Amino acid sequence: MPAIIARDLSKTFKTKVRPSGRLAALRSLVKPEYRDVRAVKGVSFEIDDGELVAFLGPNGAGKSTTIKMLMGILRPTGGSATVLGLDPAEDRVELSRYVGAVFGQKSQLWFHLPPSDSFRLLGSIYEIDDDDRRWREAELIERFGLAPYWDVPVRKLSLGERIRCELAASLLPSPVALFLDEPTIGLDVVAKREIRQLLAEAARVDDTTIFMTSHDMGDIEKVCKRAIIIHHGEVVVDESMKALKRRSLSRKYVGVRYASPVDLELPGLSPVKRTPTAASFEVDTSRHSLAEVVRALASRGDLEDITVEDEPLENVIAAIYETRSGAEAQALGLNASKGAGAARAGEAASA
Amino acid sequence: MRSRCYAIAASTSMRERAAYPGNFIGSMFTYALFVFIFSRVWAGAYAGASEIAGYTMRMAVWYFIVAEVPSFGFGRFFWTLSRDMKNGQIAYLLARPYDYVGYNFAEKYGGSLVEAGVILVEGLLVGILLVGPPPLAGGAPSLAGGAGVAAEASRALLVGLSLLLAGALNYFLQASIAMTAFWLEENEAFFWIFQKLTLVVGTLIPIEFLPTAAATLARLTPFPYLSYAPARIMVAYSPGEAWSLVAAQALWLVLAAALARIVFSFGSRRLSVNGG
């Protein structure tokens, strides 16, 4: 049975309309008007035990709202969710025994106290007996390298050190599933790399199902095996990271530099950058043979350097983010093979 | 054991509050200033009068000293709860295997005991410096020797108990108001009204100073039990009245705790935390 199932999951918030003008403002005090904001519009997916899934989308796409519905913090206005066999909306407290969470912009640690105090409290919240807690703490201290700041007040830790502690704290009760909402936000390159390694290791060692939102392509490529992209409240892509990366492989960037100025006219290809002795080309490999392009460029002059690069994954995802609707994202030719929400988006596109 | 979790939450919160003694300086200064100003106000009011509504000047000053302890020690639950709800921290707090209202009470109330204790000790020192020791328990130069000590001990115990009940009642009433944020975008006006009623009904002046009808009406509300009860026990101790005040506080506490649970039970279903 999958660890997480979402079926047509929807959430509509009611927000008060603030009318302009004094008379309208007074009228709204007596008879307020509300507008429906459809944050999540019927998303569907299934996530197996131990899967590492990136849940992506631009700001306001509905990622955090979906996570909160899956944790039982928000009640869906439509559809259903099952997490570890439980209905999050009805069994929130029971579910919280088996599910951990890290919200990158929030903290579960006590600010003026060392992490050890927060871990002790968390141990009591999850009813872990003291001996088991100490054993688990020792394991996490070693794995996450927390020893140097185990007894240092959290306020004195760097952001990277704090996030390490947050992540370790969320793993203290050995959760079956872990929800992470932008866990590396604000971290420097080194701290990000460390957190990604720790996350991947947590998934491997504890066989934890990981469901992670992030805007950082590095997080996604290094940690996750599958990507679900949500946009305008709908799933528009649901496929393996390999498949997502293959999209970027269909486009290559070829850069060349010559010892002296050359003529670089190639049939059907125009350079995206050009100087008298250098140029770079964007090559759609479905239309042009990469080998022929390289051969043609090598034959044009005294070649000093040539580079061939994949299109960054970021560009593929940015193209989806820039669309105005789920249907439009689908029209980019991206396949949402697993998601029913995406299937609907596909139908809308074809209509 | 859930009770162990709540005990650890309270002790952790107490240590967090005690980690920065400097945090108390602002409220300690304000409290001392208020007590000093009110002692001067009462000095003016009592010029030419030895008693007002059964209170001597020394009783009135000591009344104010004790009545202000809950305001300073237990007066900020609304703001901390509202902050958790508005900044989305509640998402973390709800995703835990505990009874949210019980846990939150243990954490917030536990932490507030540190500040309330500091303010109470300060109040005792400031009071002794300004007007001398509080009136004797039982009115009582007559209660000499062991009986006097027993009356003083019993009063101290009941003042302490009454202050603890006042704090707990304060928590559940403020929590009930704060949790209206599940429905309302703006709920500070309710707390503003609550604060002002608390001040007028038993904090700034004893209930006995109010007109009879207003005093009778006030006794039907929870407000006198937020500050009047411990202050009255302190300055006009009699075991019968003290126990009846404590019993009324306990009753209001049960009602307020039930109200908070009902508000949470309905409100949490309407939680609206949009965005990360």
Side-chain angles (χ1 to χ4, degrees), chain B residues 72-157:
Chain B
F72 278 83
F74 308 118
R76 290 191 216 133
F77 298 128
F78 172 84
W79 299 113
T80 52
L81 275 163
S82 294
R83 188 187 58 209
D84 286 348
M85 295 181 82
K86 285 178 182 168
N87 68 14
Q89 186 72 14
I90 194 160
Y92 252 138
L93 300 172
L94 286 179
R96 294 273 163 75
Y98 51 44
D99 165 54
Y100 172 77
V101 175
Y103 176 86
N104 204 269
F105 168 70
E107 184 193 306
K108 301 286 193 295
Y109 180 67
S112 71
L113 289 177
V114 176
E115 193 157 2
V118 168
I119 292 291
L120 179 62
V121 170
E122 183 193 9
L124 294 173
L125 295 174
V126 171
I128 289 168
L129 284 174
L130 284 173
V131 291
L136 291 171
S142 57
L143 289 176
V149 172
E152 288 297 345
S154 150
R155 173 174 71 170
L157 195 74

Side-chain angles (χ1 to χ4, degrees), chain B:
Chain B
M1 285 263 291
R2 284 291 101 190
S3 54
R4 182 167 179 269
C5 153
Y6 301 142
I8 293 178
S11 74
T12 306
S13 180
M14 288 166 94
R15 270 180 291 130
E16 167 97 349
R17 293 291 277 274
Y20 257 148
N23 278 345
F24 304 136
I25 289 173
S27 52
M28 285 175 75
F29 174 77
T30 314
Y31 174 74
L33 187 67
F34 278 19
V35 170
F36 175 74
I37 291 170
F38 254 73
S39 72
R40 296 302 87 205
V41 169
W42 288 135
Y46 277 90
S50 61
E51 249 184 49
I52 300 173
Y55 285 75
T56 63
M57 184 191 142
R58 188 149 64 115
M59 286 168 77
V61 173
W62 272 104
Y63 179 94
F64 184 78
I65 285 169
V66 177
E68 279 289 332
V69 171
S71 295
F72 278 83
F74 308 118
R76 290 191 216 133
F77 298 128
F78 172 84
W79 299 113
T80 52
L81 275 163
S82 294
R83 188 187 58 209
D84 286 348
M85 295 181 82
K86 285 178 182 168
N87 68 14
Q89 186 72 14
I90 194 160
Y92 252 138
L93 300 172
L94 286 179
R96 294 273 163 75
Y98 51 44
D99 165 54
Y100 172 77
V101 175
Y103 176 86
N104 204 269
F105 168 70
E107 184 193 306
K108 301 286 193 295
Y109 180 67
S112 71
L113 289 177
V114 176
E115 193 157 2
V118 168
I119 292 291
L120 179 62
V121 170
E122 183 193 9
L124 294 173
L125 295 174
V126 171
I128 289 168
L129 284 174
L130 284 173
V131 291
L136 291 171
S142 57
L143 289 176
V149 172
E152 288 297 345
S154 150
R155 173 174 71 170
L157 195 74
L158 281 164
V159 168
L161 178 61
S162 181
L163 279 170
L164 290 174
L165 288 168
L169 179 58
N170 239 310
Y171 169 84
F172 285 112
L173 291 175
Q174 291 184 41
S176 301
I177 300 170
M179 288 190 289
T180 58
F182 284 126
W183 290 273
L184 305 168
E185 288 179 26
E186 198 47 78
N187 60 353
E188 288 176 18
F190 297 122
F191 183 60
W192 190 86
I193 294 167
F194 170 84
Q195 265 187 319
K196 301 309 163 230
L197 282 170
T198 308
L199 271 180
V200 172
V201 183
T203 303
L204 295 180
I205 52 170
I207 302 282
E208 290 79 5
F209 283 31
L210 297 174
T212 312
T216 307
L217 191 64
R219 284 178 207 278
L220 299 174
T221 71
F223 295 103
Y225 307 103
L226 296 170
S227 49
Y228 168 80
R232 174 73 186 172
I233 295 170
M234 182 73 172
V235 300
Y237 178 71
S238 78
E241 187 189 17
W243 279 112
S244 80
L245 285 169
V246 165
Q249 281 185 296
L251 178 66
W252 275 108
L253 177 60
V254 170
L255 293 175
L259 175 68
R261 286 191 176 284
I262 292 167
V263 174
F264 175 75
S265 168
F266 285 99
S268 59
R269 291 169 174 265
R270 299 178 55 98
L271 177 64
S272 174
V273 187
N274 204 353

Side-chain angles (χ1 to χ4, degrees), chain A residues 34-101:
Chain A
Y34 293 91
R35 182 168 56 92
D36 283 349
V37 177
R38 296 183 68 200
V40 178
K41 302 172 191 169
V43 304
S44 299
F45 51 78
E46 288 186 3
I47 292 167
D48 288 329
D49 268 338
E51 256 198 294
L52 291 91
V53 177
F55 193 54
L56 312 176
N59 292 329
K63 304 184 298 294
S64 298
T65 302
T66 304
I67 282 195
K68 285 177 186 132
M69 284 194 284
L70 293 175
M71 294 180 70
I73 296 163
L74 292 176
R75 297 178 84 83
T77 45
S80 65
T82 307
V83 178
L84 309 177
L86 297 167
D87 176 348
E90 296 303 323
D91 309 313
R92 173 173 51 81
V93 174
E94 179 63 10
L95 179 63
S96 65
R97 293 180 190 280
Y98 312 108
V99 165

